[in-house]
Amino acid sequence: MDLSIGEVAQRSGLSVHALRFYEREGLFANPVRRLSNGRRVYHEEDVEWLAICTKLRSSGMSLAVIRQYIELARQGPGNEHERLQLLRLHEAHVEERIRELQGALDVMRYKVRVYEEHLARGEADRLWNPSSSDAAHDDPADR
């Protein structure tokens, strides 16, 4: 079934502008077909690929690496090891980023708990104020 750019935008959650950008950047698994009037025609496989592609982007995979992966896929069988290597490298990057984010989340949860405790005790005035003379010191809420 042929899909218009508007239908693909609606189904993928990407804007028409983003779809045109993805096409210009060579990020579709297959070239986008055009009708004689110049209108783009997409297929269900394009929508499926866009779902994968947007997850790769949201995980931090660069456009260059996505493009490299697509080029390998377009070449067909015989380069699966190279594709797997690209995915494994990115997987390691994502896992490291998750560890970093977990550390940041742990700090945020700790700080939220400290603030909630101080506010519950009516001790908000004891919380660190960067404009006070104690700004150069540690956050007293952490002591």
Side-chain angles (χ1 to χ4, degrees):
M1 175 173 86
D2 289 348
L3 301 168
S4 70
I5 194 167
E7 291 169 322
V8 173
Q10 183 178 25
R11 290 180 60 189
S12 68
L14 295 169
S15 68
V16 169
H17 176 76
L19 292 172
R20 289 181 183 132
F21 172 79
Y22 274 46
E23 181 184 358
R24 277 193 315 272
E25 292 296 315
L27 298 178
F28 277 93
N30 298 303
V32 175
R33 199 167 51 95
R34 290 186 183 249
L35 299 175
S36 59
N37 63 4
R39 290 187 180 260
R40 293 169 174 85
V41 178
Y42 300 88
H43 300 284
E44 189 63 37
E45 296 83 26
D46 295 318
V47 176
E48 292 169 10
W49 166 248
L50 286 169
I52 294 168
C53 191
T54 55
K55 291 296 182 195
L56 294 174
R57 283 295 295 144
S58 70
S59 72
M61 185 178 277
S62 70
L63 294 177
V65 173
I66 293 173
R67 198 176 300 109
Q68 186 179 6
Y69 177 79
I70 292 169
E71 287 303 318
L72 289 168
R74 284 179 186 154
Q75 293 170 14
N79 60 23
E80 292 81 4
H81 290 288
E82 291 155 278
R83 287 186 247 171
L84 178 59
Q85 182 180 7
L86 282 175
L87 293 172
R88 281 188 174 156
L89 285 171
H90 188 66
E91 178 184 39
H93 169 77
V94 170
E95 288 171 344
E96 175 60 27
R97 186 69 182 125
I98 288 171
R99 284 189 292 277
E100 291 171 1
L101 288 171
Q102 185 60 57
L105 181 59
D106 291 345
V107 168
M108 292 307 304
R109 285 181 174 156
Y110 169 75
K111 295 301 290 176
V112 164
R113 217 173 31 254
V114 167
Y115 274 72
E116 287 174 341
E117 289 169 6
H118 276 272
L119 290 170
R121 290 192 308 258
E123 298 174 349
D125 59 327
R126 291 191 53 209
L127 293 170
W128 183 66
N129 180 351
S131 63
S132 74
S133 60
D134 292 334
H137 303 295
D138 291 340
D139 186 339
D142 293 347
R143 292 186 208 148

